Amino acid sequence: LQSNPDRRPAPRDMPSDSQILATLQQAAQEVGLEVRATTPVEALRAEVRTRIRQWMHEGRAGEMDYLAAAAPLLEDPRAWKDWAQSMVLVALPYAREAGSFRGGGRVARYALGRDYHNLIGKRLERLGKRLRAAGLVDRFRACTDAAPLAEREWAIQAHTGWRGKNTLLLDPDFGPWVLLGELLVDAPLPDYRKPVRRWASCGSCTRCLDICPTGALDAAWSLDARLCLSYLTIELRGAIPHELRPALGEWVFGCDLCLEVCPFGDHAGEHDAEWGRLPALDELRLEDLLGLDEARFAAHFQGSPLRRPGRAGLARNACVALGNLGRGEAELSLALEQDPAALVRGHAAWALGRLDARAALEAAWAKEQDAEVRDEIDRALAEARGG
């Protein structure tokens, strides 16, 4: 967007802060959003910048190299959008019943329906256009967590919630069951922040730390992404470490364990209608995920967050879940023999080892050309029951 200073009212005609906030809240309501805060765009606090750098330096981001590449932008949004003066922060609740594929294979609740990037992003775009039409802003940029913006830190800094011991933002009304969005604008909007509630604390509660199956939450307010089930099933592009595969249970996309036990989410309500449900979850079993080609994968998961790990990544996760559930031998055997991705074949071998399917493993070993897959087969044969 090109800047147009003539678009805004002359200084003597500028509305008051209360009028601006009223216009903003009304415009947000019209597009299906609630303004949680407005804040000046500036550098994050020094303590926050230091903590982020240290977390990355320790390697806790795993393979998420894009975070390190975007570090200067994360620390100060003006390094990304030098025209940005204010930020509008919004949040949408998404609490709903747990969900899975047909017959098992759990999916994080935020991914059961519409992609929040699209839903929140489009609403923020409409909000920006309304603010521009009202003469309050000229340039704007809608953001979700796909943008180089440390949105959780901004939400905490703007008092929209507080940091839980699971490292997530805890909303006063919805606990951890909220998705965040931001609108950067080129105008100095009034600074609007809710007062911090004195009771906004996890206190002595450690439920989230206690339930984490891999120890990814190794201390209060501390997360090692390399051990987190969400990272392993979504962001990791290679093989899931052998020692962590049993801990995945039947999770095939993300993990809600540390959210489900959080007492602040007990009264978050039900928001299933707004987000909808992906038909593929009711149509497909875990076994069916192993038979999808790229075209059918794209068709089933169009407009869904489940596209993030790609066909091979989701099939990899399905192999692990089937191995943990003790089923799917026929489909796993076919995947080991025919899947074009070595990543899938290797994890199918691991699952078949859990099922003690020695015949399928031995038959595949004789034909397999990929060294890493052959290693997986060797290991599965050695660990198979009765081996």
Side-chain angles (χ1 to χ4, degrees):
L1 297 172
Q2 296 296 317
S3 181
N4 183 359
D6 296 330
R7 189 189 301 275
R8 298 184 194 140
R12 64 178 180 277
D13 299 326
M14 286 297 290
S16 66
D17 286 356
S18 61
Q19 291 172 323
I20 292 174
L21 290 174
T23 299
L24 176 58
Q25 294 282 10
Q26 178 63 32
Q29 184 178 2
E30 290 172 356
V31 301
L33 295 172
E34 178 188 351
V35 175
R36 296 300 180 92
T38 60
T39 184
V41 172
E42 56 194 8
L44 288 169
R45 297 191 305 270
E47 173 273 327
V48 174
R49 299 198 304 271
T50 299
R51 177 162 44 78
I52 292 175
R53 291 174 192 166
Q54 182 64 27
W55 184 75
M56 292 182 184
H57 177 72
E58 293 173 355
R60 290 177 167 238
E63 294 182 3
M64 295 184 288
D65 296 335
Y66 57 85
L67 293 176
L73 314 184
L74 293 171
E75 294 182 0
D76 189 339
R78 293 170 299 186
W80 176 44
K81 301 295 182 184
D82 59 5
W83 48 260
Q85 296 188 51
S86 300
M87 183 187 308
V88 180
L89 293 95
V90 303
L92 278 181
Y94 71 97
R96 60 191 305 176
E97 292 294 323
S100 66
F101 284 95
R102 182 161 60 89
R106 290 202 61 185
V107 173
R109 301 185 198 199
Y110 79 83
L112 294 174
R114 299 172 63 185
D115 190 334
Y116 68 95
H117 297 93
N118 296 333
L119 189 148
I120 297 178
K122 289 178 180 178
R123 292 184 183 184
L124 284 169
E125 284 286 339
R126 292 197 290 270
L127 175 59
K129 291 177 180 178
R130 278 170 166 75
L131 296 181
R132 189 170 62 195
L136 297 181
V137 307
D138 183 9
R139 304 178 75 176
F140 64 87
R141 176 61 155 82
C143 307
T144 59
D145 66 358
L149 197 70
E151 59 179 8
R152 190 181 310 166
E153 302 300 337
W154 282 105
I156 294 170
Q157 190 165 304
H159 302 168
T160 70
W162 69 98
R163 193 187 318 279
K165 290 182 181 178
N166 57 8
T167 76
L168 300 175
L169 176 80
L170 298 186
D171 182 271
D173 299 314
F174 304 108
W177 304 103
V178 291
L179 295 165
L180 306 177
E182 303 78 34
L183 188 72
L184 297 178
V185 301
D186 66 345
L189 298 179
D191 192 349
Y192 164 67
R193 312 185 192 197
K194 296 180 179 180
V196 178
R197 298 187 183 182
R198 292 184 178 180
W199 51 261
S201 167
C202 295
S204 60
C205 179
T206 59
R207 296 182 190 179
C208 57
L209 279 66
D210 299 336
I211 201 170
C212 183
T214 61
L217 293 168
D218 52 3
W221 309 290
S222 175
L223 171 70
D224 189 336
R226 297 167 296 184
L227 300 176
C228 178
L229 299 196
S230 289
Y231 169 81
L232 294 171
T233 56
I234 301 173
E235 296 296 330
L236 182 66
R237 291 295 175 257
I240 297 171
H242 282 82
E243 67 274 14
L244 298 179
R245 294 177 190 178
L248 264 68
E250 62 173 295
W251 288 100
V252 291
F253 187 93
C255 176
D256 285 334
L257 294 177
C258 67
L259 291 81
E260 291 172 345
V261 298
C262 179
F264 287 104
D266 287 348
H267 305 290
E270 169 60 50
H271 303 274
D272 187 82
E274 181 172 13
W275 294 97
R277 183 175 173 86
L278 183 70
L281 296 173
D282 298 318
E283 297 168 355
L284 302 176
R285 303 167 304 143
L286 288 175
E287 290 87 343
D288 299 325
L289 296 179
L290 302 185
L292 298 179
D293 58 20
E294 294 289 351
R296 286 186 292 164
F297 171 80
H300 276 296
F301 298 108
Q302 181 177 5
S304 165
L306 274 79
R307 293 191 65 174
R308 174 68 176 168
R311 182 207 70 85
L314 195 61
R316 170 201 64 187
N317 301 343
C319 288
V320 175
L322 286 169
N324 289 331
L325 290 169
R327 70 178 219 224
E329 181 175 343
E331 292 81 4
L332 287 165
S333 299
L334 191 61
L336 176 57
E337 179 183 353
Q338 298 183 1
D339 196 285
L343 180 69
V344 178
R345 298 199 304 275
H347 286 72
W350 177 85
L352 288 167
R354 300 273 285 187
L355 273 61
D356 196 24
R358 297 181 61 84
L361 290 166
E362 290 169 349
W365 192 93
K367 301 177 182 179
E368 182 59 56
Q369 300 298 311
D370 186 276
E372 292 185 1
V373 178
R374 286 172 69 94
D375 287 344
E376 288 274 9
I377 296 174
D378 283 336
R379 186 165 181 168
L381 285 168
E383 297 178 355
R385 292 190 299 273

